[in-house]
Amino acid sequence: MSAAKKTKPPEAIGELEPMLTRLKLTAIRDQLDTLLDQAGRAELNLREALTMLCTAEVARKDERRIQMGMSIAKFPYVRTLEGFEYDAQPSVDPKQIRELALSRWVANGDSVLLLGPPGVGKTHLAVALGREAIVRGYSTLFVPATGLVTQLARAHTEGRLEEKLLHFTKPKLLIVDELGYLPFEANAAHLFFQLVSRRYERGSMLVTSNRSVAEWGGVFGDAVVATAILDRLLHHSHVITIRGDSYRLRTKRRAGLVNQASATTATVAN
C-alpha cells in the first residue's frame, strides 16, 4: 500500500493574509508579524500561540463594538463612575452603584430611577451606568425626556408612531433624562405610557427626575396615567434618591461667586 499523502501547508505567507481578511480576523492580520515574533520569543506551543492570536482578535472586536455602542447611545458627554464624587453626595451608596455597574439589572429588564434636585449628579450616574452597560454588551440609547416626547408626538401626528415606538423599544437599555423639568401635555403622557408598556419586562429603563414619584401626577398632567407608568417602572426597580447640594453651586460657592452675586443683587435692589 502506498503511504497516505500529507496535506501540504500554504507555500507562502502571502496566502495567509487574504484568508485572515476573508475570515474577518483583521487584528491578527494587521499584527501578524508582531504576534508571531512574540510567540516565538516566548517559545509558545501551538495551542498557546493560537490563544494569543485569538486574544488579540477578541480585544480588537470588543474595542470596536464598544466604540460603536458609545456612538449609537448619543450620550451628551463622557462621564464615568470613577469620576463621581461620592464624598460630596453621601446619600449615594457606592456599593449599590458598583452593583448596578455590573448591569445585571439590564439583563433582567429592571428599571432604575435616579431622583433628586438639579445638579446632584443624576445625569452623571445615568451616563456612567449606560457606558458600563455598553461595555457588557447591552445596546443603549440616551434621550432627554423633552426630546423623547417631542419625537413621539411628531411621529403620532405624521402617522409614524409605531415606527418611533419600535425605535425606542429596540435598545436593551433606554435612558430618559430630566423627566419632570417641564410638564407633559395630556397626549404626550399617553404616548410615554405606550413606550413604558412596550418596554415593560422586555427592556430596561433608567429615568432621572427632579421630582419625587409622588409628584409625577403633576408632571404627566394625569394622575391615572402617572400611576400606570409608575406601576410598570417600579415593579422591578432600583430607586436612588440623591439628597445634597448642586455640584455647580458648590463650585461657585468655593470661588465666592454665589455670595458675590447675592451681594450685587442686594445692591441693585437697594
Side-chain angles (χ1 to χ4, degrees), residues 154-171:
R154 182 183 298 120
H156 182 254
T157 301
E158 297 174 353
R160 299 183 296 102
L161 180 59
E162 183 64 25
E163 174 188 337
K164 188 59 67 174
L165 286 172
L166 286 173
H167 171 73
F168 286 118
T169 302
K170 186 176 181 180

Side-chain angles (χ1 to χ4, degrees), residues 97-166:
I97 299 301
R98 286 194 298 269
E99 176 66 25
L100 291 175
L102 298 176
S103 300
R104 284 192 284 258
W105 61 281
V106 180
N108 295 333
D110 296 347
S111 298
V112 168
L113 302 184
L114 298 176
L115 311 176
V120 295
K122 301 186 300 298
T123 302
H124 183 138
L125 288 175
V127 171
L129 290 173
R131 290 172 61 87
E132 293 293 332
I134 291 172
V135 169
R136 285 163 174 76
Y138 300 110
S139 57
T140 300
L141 179 63
F142 179 102
V143 60
T146 52
L148 171 64
V149 171
T150 298
Q151 291 184 56
L152 290 177
R154 182 183 298 120
H156 182 254
T157 301
E158 297 174 353
R160 299 183 296 102
L161 180 59
E162 183 64 25
E163 174 188 337
K164 188 59 67 174
L165 286 172
L166 286 173

Side-chain angles (χ1 to χ4, degrees), residues 182-193 211 213-231:
L182 294 173
F184 284 9
E185 296 181 0
N187 187 51
H190 284 87
L191 295 174
F192 188 78
F193 168 73
R211 303 290 190 91
V213 293
E215 299 176 281
W216 281 25
V219 172
F220 290 102
D222 188 322
V224 175
V225 174
T227 300
I229 290 171
L230 285 169
D231 179 63

Side-chain angles (χ1 to χ4, degrees), residues 70-270:
M70 297 295 181
S71 176
I72 293 173
K74 299 186 184 303
F75 294 123
Y77 37 65
V78 175
R79 293 292 184 273
T80 65
L81 293 180
E82 292 76 15
F84 187 79
E85 297 181 25
Y86 292 100
D87 292 341
Q89 302 296 357
S91 61
V92 178
D93 181 2
K95 182 179 179 181
Q96 183 180 18
I97 299 301
R98 286 194 298 269
E99 176 66 25
L100 291 175
L102 298 176
S103 300
R104 284 192 284 258
W105 61 281
V106 180
N108 295 333
D110 296 347
S111 298
V112 168
L113 302 184
L114 298 176
L115 311 176
V120 295
K122 301 186 300 298
T123 302
H124 183 138
L125 288 175
V127 171
L129 290 173
R131 290 172 61 87
E132 293 293 332
I134 291 172
V135 169
R136 285 163 174 76
Y138 300 110
S139 57
T140 300
L141 179 63
F142 179 102
V143 60
T146 52
L148 171 64
V149 171
T150 298
Q151 291 184 56
L152 290 177
R154 182 183 298 120
H156 182 254
T157 301
E158 297 174 353
R160 299 183 296 102
L161 180 59
E162 183 64 25
E163 174 188 337
K164 188 59 67 174
L165 286 172
L166 286 173
H167 171 73
F168 286 118
T169 302
K170 186 176 181 180
K172 184 60 179 175
L173 171 61
L174 178 65
I175 301 175
V176 181
D177 191 41
E178 296 188 339
L179 180 71
Y181 284 84
L182 294 173
F184 284 9
E185 296 181 0
N187 187 51
H190 284 87
L191 295 174
F192 188 78
F193 168 73
Q194 290 187 53
L195 175 60
V196 172
S197 296
R198 291 284 187 95
R199 296 192 60 87
Y200 177 58
E201 293 189 332
R202 297 189 187 93
S204 295
M205 291 186 70
L206 189 158
V207 180
T208 74
S209 178
N210 65 327
R211 303 290 190 91
S212 68
V213 293
E215 299 176 281
W216 281 25
V219 172
F220 290 102
D222 188 322
V224 175
V225 174
T227 300
I229 290 171
L230 285 169
D231 179 63
R232 288 157 177 77
L233 288 179
L234 295 176
H235 186 203
H236 306 289
S237 67
H238 309 265
V239 180
I240 299 175
T241 301
I242 306 177
R243 302 177 180 85
D245 293 334
S246 164
Y247 282 109
R248 291 180 286 273
L249 291 180
R250 186 184 302 112
T251 301
K252 290 181 179 180
R253 286 194 188 97
R254 289 173 182 171
L257 297 177
V258 172
N259 291 336
Q260 180 180 352
S262 299
T264 301
T265 302
T267 301
V268 172
N270 292 332

